[in-house]
Amino acid sequence: MGAKIENIAYYLPEGKLDSAALKEIFPDFDINKIEDKVGIKSRHIAGEKETSLDLAYKASLNVIERSGTNDIDFIILCTQTPDYILPTGACILQDRLGLPSSIGALDFNLGCSGYVYGLAMCKGFLEASIASKILFVTADTYTKYIHKKDKGNRSIFGDAATATIITKDEKDKLGQFNLGSDGSGFDKLIIKNGGGKNEFDEKAEIKNYGDGNQFTDNCIYMNGPEIFNFTINNIPKLISDTLKANKLKKEDVDYFVFHQANKFMLNYLRRKIGIPLEKFHIDLEKTGNTVSSTIPIALHQALENEKIKKGNKVLLAGFGVGLSWGATIIEI
Amino acid sequence: MEKKHFLEEIKEILLLEETNINTETYIEIDSMASLLLIAFFDENFSKSISQEKIKEIKQIKDLINFVGEDNLE
């Protein structure tokens, strides 16, 4: 007995922040550099009253409509920007979607590696017969936590939610997983205040990244260069270990979908690992980095554009905040 | 790598407009240039440069010292 992805849908909030709008806010900003090197021209931004759960709900409705399914028996929600510290967002989602109270529901807190970890959990629940059809949702509104004068992060991150239906299958279409964590890098991408350790501070000191970007400890802080160092030092090995665990060679994989962090980083990783351009997904031009949603959005894009087809083997790799990383090979 | 080529690459990464740059030229490294430098050192010298080290770099000669004069012809 195995598991497979049955359907994927996503939802992007209506609000947008495009290059022209960014240029208006930051007249000195080199927008061409962002478009060329980072590969982002526009990002979707959740409305002031629109939460990650609102996005999650809409993505869920989309996937339920696409698949015509009504027998979901488990909800897993991956978010780092929950509506509440407690209760669990997935429980609220169960009620909003009108699903029976007999189903299981849980949240987990991961970012860019979240989709791979979620698939790993789904596989476990399905193979252990704890569930037979799982609604796995990713949803984040990072933009609510970015300082208004942090043009770097405002140009990178976008808001989004995705919903994937994962079911039991005779064939094991979710392959072997390779997961990793390194908490020593916890402060490379962090919101320091507002949790149990540090209270939200209305008078938080304004800090500078050093190149005109500002933040406070109430906001997202990202040490981009160190995240990049972590990525180039760890991800090539993650890919070779994942291929080994799945008894495949690089050439046996039809398509590679990595977390869509930024175009430059992706291209550098592609070259370092030795993946042909035509087998490698890079498309974050209209969405930006949507954290745990980038991989399912990319899968959806690749399916729609027929870059991947039924029977293809696709390597998925997520990496970032935590620090955390994971990869697997799925069959479409 | 030839020193001349190294300097040309640095000039492009840091978008330096001066026609003639030398070891004493002062430089500023923003976040995007940091990523480009990290990739450049990793790809060409198999060296990992930390954000802290990047912050210490003020002149072209600091970059040369980081890769080591011996690694440049």
Side-chain angles (χ1 to χ4, degrees):
Chain A
M1 185 56 70
K4 69 166 183 184
I5 291 178
E6 190 183 274
N7 223 313
I8 303 174
Y10 62 88
Y11 177 79
L12 302 169
E14 285 178 14
K16 280 186 191 175
L17 180 67
D18 62 11
S19 295
L22 264 180
K23 186 76 184 166
E24 210 166 286
I25 303 166
F26 305 106
D28 298 334
F29 203 21
D30 188 348
I31 292 297
N32 291 337
K33 196 159 75 177
I34 296 299
E35 291 191 352
D36 295 347
K37 301 273 188 204
V38 184
I40 303 170
K41 291 183 175 172
S42 182
R43 324 90 193 119
H44 289 258
I45 311 290
E48 207 177 320
K49 301 278 180 195
E50 194 174 30
T51 69
S52 60
L53 203 61
D54 294 332
L55 307 187
Y57 172 67
K58 286 177 179 165
S60 301
L61 287 182
N62 287 347
V63 84
I64 288 169
E65 190 187 326
R66 268 172 77 96
S67 63
T69 195
N70 61 0
D71 52 354
I72 290 160
D73 59 5
F74 211 103
I75 301 176
I76 297 179
L77 171 63
C78 172
T79 184
Q80 296 196 303
T81 52
D83 283 25
Y84 306 104
I85 291 175
L86 58 91
T88 307
C91 294
I92 304 172
L93 196 55
Q94 168 271 328
D95 180 56
R96 261 207 229 178
L97 290 169
L99 294 172
S101 57
S102 57
I103 72 169
L106 66 86
D107 289 2
F108 71 98
N109 177 331
L110 276 175
C112 313
S113 60
Y115 193 70
V116 175
Y117 271 79
L119 290 183
M121 278 196 264
C122 288
K123 180 174 171 157
F125 280 131
L126 292 167
E127 287 191 353
S129 292
I130 293 165
S132 59
K133 186 172 274 189
I134 301 176
L135 171 65
F136 169 36
V137 183
T138 63
D140 267 306
T141 52
Y142 262 38
T143 69
K144 290 185 188 294
Y145 299 89
I146 299 173
H147 194 279
K148 289 206 170 349
K149 291 187 177 169
D150 183 355
K151 58 180 183 282
N153 282 328
R154 286 187 74 181
S155 69
I156 291 171
F157 290 107
D159 300 328
T162 74
T164 306
I165 301 278
I166 297 148
T167 60
K168 281 188 178 182
D169 195 75
E170 283 174 11
K171 201 175 165 192
D172 200 1
K173 292 181 176 173
L174 301 182
Q176 295 301 309
F177 286 78
N178 203 297
L179 307 173
S181 323
D182 179 8
S184 71
F186 79 100
D187 57 353
K188 307 294 181 218
L189 179 44
I190 189 169
I191 301 173
K192 279 191 181 160
N193 294 349
K197 190 166 178 70
N198 305 303
E199 284 180 7
F200 181 88
D201 179 4
E202 278 182 14
K203 293 175 183 167
E205 175 197 354
I206 293 174
K207 299 181 177 182
N208 287 292
Y209 276 97
D211 48 8
N213 291 310
Q214 294 184 343
F215 69 102
T216 74
D217 285 345
N218 297 328
C219 305
I220 286 175
Y221 163 79
M222 179 165 75
N223 186 333
E226 284 305 313
I227 297 272
F228 184 47
N229 263 325
F230 143 71
T231 304
I232 60 177
N233 291 328
N234 289 280
I235 304 312
K237 187 175 182 302
L238 171 69
I239 302 309
S240 57
D241 288 350
T242 303
L243 287 166
K244 208 169 154 187
N246 284 279
K247 298 185 175 64
L248 290 171
K249 291 182 185 150
K250 211 160 41 190
E251 301 71 38
D252 300 326
V253 175
D254 298 293
Y255 203 63
F256 294 79
V257 176
F258 287 12
H259 163 56
Q260 303 286 294
N262 77 64
K263 187 175 149 189
F264 173 76
M265 180 195 276
L266 285 166
N267 253 325
Y268 186 72
L269 277 177
R270 180 185 66 74
R271 288 207 317 272
K272 192 171 165 111
I273 297 165
I275 302 168
L277 187 60
E278 65 277 11
K279 281 187 166 188
F280 194 75
H281 195 88
I282 300 183
D283 189 350
L284 65 164
E285 204 175 283
K286 292 176 182 164
T287 52
N289 178 343
T290 53
V291 205
S292 56
S293 291
T294 69
I295 293 176
I297 289 174
L299 275 175
H300 190 281
Q301 288 167 336
L303 283 163
E304 293 276 300
N305 300 333
E306 295 181 352
K307 286 179 180 169
I308 49 177
K309 302 177 197 80
K310 199 171 167 56
N312 278 177
K313 288 185 171 58
V314 182
L315 190 149
L316 311 180
F319 38 81
V321 60
L323 302 169
S324 168
W325 57 93
T328 188
I329 295 175
I330 63 166
E331 189 183 316
I332 301 297
Chain B
M1 179 182 280
E2 280 185 27
K3 196 169 178 178
K4 192 182 159 195
H5 182 54
F6 177 84
L7 292 175
E8 279 167 8
E9 291 279 349
I10 294 299
K11 204 173 151 180
E12 202 177 311
I13 287 170
L14 302 180
L15 300 171
L16 299 174
E17 287 170 359
E18 296 97 321
T19 327
N20 295 311
I21 60 165
N22 57 53
T23 54
E24 300 301 316
T25 304
Y26 279 88
I27 51 177
E28 278 181 22
I29 304 170
D30 66 13
S31 52
M32 190 67 223
S34 297
L35 299 193
L36 299 176
L37 268 185
I38 289 167
F40 175 66
F41 289 138
D42 181 65
E43 191 167 23
N44 295 285
F45 301 96
S46 299
K47 274 184 158 259
S48 184
I49 185 165
S50 68
Q51 166 76 336
E52 268 182 27
K53 184 75 196 165
I54 290 173
K55 278 185 177 170
E56 289 170 11
I57 289 168
K58 306 286 178 223
Q59 290 171 283
I60 296 284
K61 67 180 173 191
D62 299 328
L63 291 171
I64 292 172
N65 288 338
F66 177 74
V67 296
E69 189 90 45
D70 296 349
N71 289 317
L72 299 172
E73 297 159 17

